[in-house]
């Protein structure tokens, strides 16, 4: 926060307004969520398994639909989006997953170019007819995650950390405004964890991409994020800029037995 600059002075990129999500079987995924995420923020989402972290992330690109309330991305309400609007929303949001979601038997290059598949007709993409510009973009994306020397390597010959970096490069093909990282390092060892988190940080700081990452590790969240939010049983029970965060704060979020206090630790 140099020179008194605050993230909340920036435009709002994602806004939840009284959002509820109830799954068809009655499970509450999200409850009474009010949340603003600012353009260029790096937000870590922490909480116990089942707290609603994935549901929160996946409602932003409409992988999950919310049950009620409003959700805006870049000023536009996205809850009713269909067809072209929904496709454009998803193009503007990159996503990476715990298990990478790459095509194992294809090359790194092919996987990264597949980040552009939705932009081409089916026949062109099935024949691998990508434009020279997109081929160059794939190389640039791989350079950004230090993976360009693996361009022609098959994905199943890479380590987990390398695969996650390829997944980041693939997401970059869309030129996203937002990057959702759903437990990006849960399958990785500590060394590759730092490499992947460093990549996410560089997208955030160098390219200005707003990053939301679900993390199980509070120390990691403290190291990388501008702000930490905590969920418990679908509710937002913690929300602080990193300068105010103390590791002791997390006892409540991570205690299995403590009842939800109705957001007393908000803000
Ligand atoms: N498709 C679904 N149908 C029914 N319930 C679901 C579905 N997906 C998630 N849930 C439930 O919603 C709640 C929130 O799940 P969610 O996956 O968002 O939590 P999480 O914090 O991401 O957990 P984890 O860290 O284990 O991934 C949990 O109780 C979960 O069992």
């Amino acid at each position: 926060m140099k020179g008194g600059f605050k993230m909340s002075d920036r435009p709002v990129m994602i806004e939840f307004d009284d959002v509820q999500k109830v799954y068809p079987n009655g499970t509450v995924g999200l409850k009474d969520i009010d949340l603003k995420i600012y353009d260029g923020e790096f937000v870590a989402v922490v909480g116990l398994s089942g707290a609603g972290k994935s549901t929160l992330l996946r409602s932003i690109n409409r992988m999950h639909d919310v049950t009620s309330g409003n959700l805006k991305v870049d000023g536009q309400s996205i809850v009713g989006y269909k067809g072209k609007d929904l496709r454009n929303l998803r193009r503007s949001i990159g996503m990476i997953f715990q298990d990478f979601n790459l095509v194992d038997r294809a090359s790194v290059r092919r996987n990264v170019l597949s980040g552009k598949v939705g932009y081409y007709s089916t026949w062109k993409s099935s024949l691998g007819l990508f434009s020279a510009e997109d081929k160059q973009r794939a190389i640039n994306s791989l350079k950004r995650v230090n993976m360009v020397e693996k361009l022609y390597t098959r994905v199943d010959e890479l380590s987990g950390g390398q695969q996650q970096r390829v997944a980041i490069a693939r997401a970059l093909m869309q030129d996203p405004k937002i990057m959702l990282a759903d437990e990006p390092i849960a399958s990785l060892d500590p060394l590759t964890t730092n490499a992947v988190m460093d990549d996410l940080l560089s997208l955030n700081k160098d390219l200005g991409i707003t990053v939301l990452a679900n993390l199980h590790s509070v120390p990691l969240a403290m190291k990388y994020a501008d702000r930490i939010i905590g969920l418990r049983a679908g509710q937002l029970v913690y929300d602080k800029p990193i300068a105010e965060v103390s590791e002791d704060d997390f006892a409540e979020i991570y205690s299995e037995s403590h009842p939800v206090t109705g957001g007393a630790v908000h803000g």
Side-chain angles (χ1 to χ4, degrees), residues 76-95:
Q76 304 290 320
S77 175
I78 60 144
V79 289
Y81 272 3
K82 294 191 178 74
K84 194 163 178 242
D85 287 336
L86 189 56
R87 277 199 302 280
N88 286 341
L89 172 78
R90 289 185 174 151
R91 281 177 185 173
S92 71
I93 302 176
M95 188 158 188

Side-chain angles (χ1 to χ4, degrees), residues 23-25 27-29 47-56 64 182-183 214 216 231:
Y23 284 101
N25 67 0
T27 307
V28 174
L48 283 170
S49 183
K53 303 182 298 295
S54 292
T55 308
L56 184 89
H64 288 323
D182 197 0
E183 314 240 350
N214 289 350
H216 275 290
L231 293 175

Side-chain angles (χ1 to χ4, degrees), residues 12-246:
V12 176
M13 181 54 90
I14 300 164
E15 183 168 358
F16 287 75
D17 181 7
D18 198 20
V19 166
Q20 326 286 330
K21 165 71 183 175
V22 182
Y23 284 101
N25 67 0
T27 307
V28 174
L30 297 174
K31 190 167 167 20
D32 307 333
I33 302 287
D34 285 306
L35 175 67
K36 286 191 178 109
I37 291 167
Y38 298 93
D39 186 14
E41 252 187 325
F42 191 128
V43 178
V45 186
V46 303
L48 283 170
S49 183
K53 303 182 298 295
S54 292
T55 308
L56 184 89
L57 249 64
R58 288 163 193 235
S59 60
I60 296 167
N61 64 359
R62 292 273 311 277
M63 280 175 78
H64 288 323
D65 286 330
V66 302
T67 311
S68 66
N70 198 7
L71 214 172
K72 289 185 190 166
V73 173
D74 210 6
Q76 304 290 320
S77 175
I78 60 144
V79 289
Y81 272 3
K82 294 191 178 74
K84 194 163 178 242
D85 287 336
L86 189 56
R87 277 199 302 280
N88 286 341
L89 172 78
R90 289 185 174 151
R91 281 177 185 173
S92 71
I93 302 176
M95 188 158 188
I96 59 168
F97 302 87
Q98 175 175 349
D99 52 6
F100 323 126
N101 283 11
L102 299 171
V103 180
D104 288 349
R105 287 177 302 162
S107 69
V108 165
R109 178 175 179 275
R110 192 62 200 241
N111 270 279
V112 173
L113 280 165
S114 78
K116 271 286 192 175
V117 159
Y119 295 71
Y120 286 87
S121 65
T122 316
W123 71 268
K124 274 196 173 171
S125 57
S126 64
L127 292 174
L129 296 177
F130 295 98
S131 69
E133 191 189 339
D134 282 340
K135 290 177 194 164
Q136 187 57 47
R137 180 184 276 272
I139 290 170
N140 294 346
S141 301
L142 283 164
K143 278 187 184 154
R144 187 157 273 289
V145 295
N146 293 315
M147 286 291 295
V148 77
E149 75 280 10
K150 301 286 185 193
L151 194 61
Y152 295 105
T153 306
R154 258 172 60 145
V155 159
D156 55 11
E157 291 166 19
L158 300 177
S159 71
Q162 290 173 325
Q163 291 192 35
Q164 192 60 294
R165 304 175 98 175
V166 172
I168 293 173
R170 178 180 58 185
L172 282 175
M173 292 297 285
Q174 301 163 233
D175 202 9
K177 290 187 284 211
I178 298 168
M179 178 74 97
L180 304 175
D182 197 0
E183 314 240 350
I185 44 89
S187 311
L188 306 180
D189 61 59
L191 207 66
T192 38
T193 286
N194 283 324
V196 166
M197 291 304 296
D198 286 345
D199 285 337
L200 286 176
L201 190 63
S202 101
L203 309 190
N204 175 252
K205 300 297 171 228
D206 302 345
L207 303 180
I209 297 173
T210 306
V211 175
L212 251 88
N214 289 350
L215 296 171
H216 275 290
S217 154
V218 171
L220 215 57
M222 290 175 74
K223 179 170 173 199
Y224 286 94
D226 298 314
R227 172 180 172 196
I228 298 184
I229 63 176
L231 293 175
R232 190 182 163 84
Q235 287 187 286
L236 192 64
V237 294
Y238 187 88
D239 183 357
K240 282 188 185 176
I242 206 71
E244 293 171 22
V245 168
S246 127

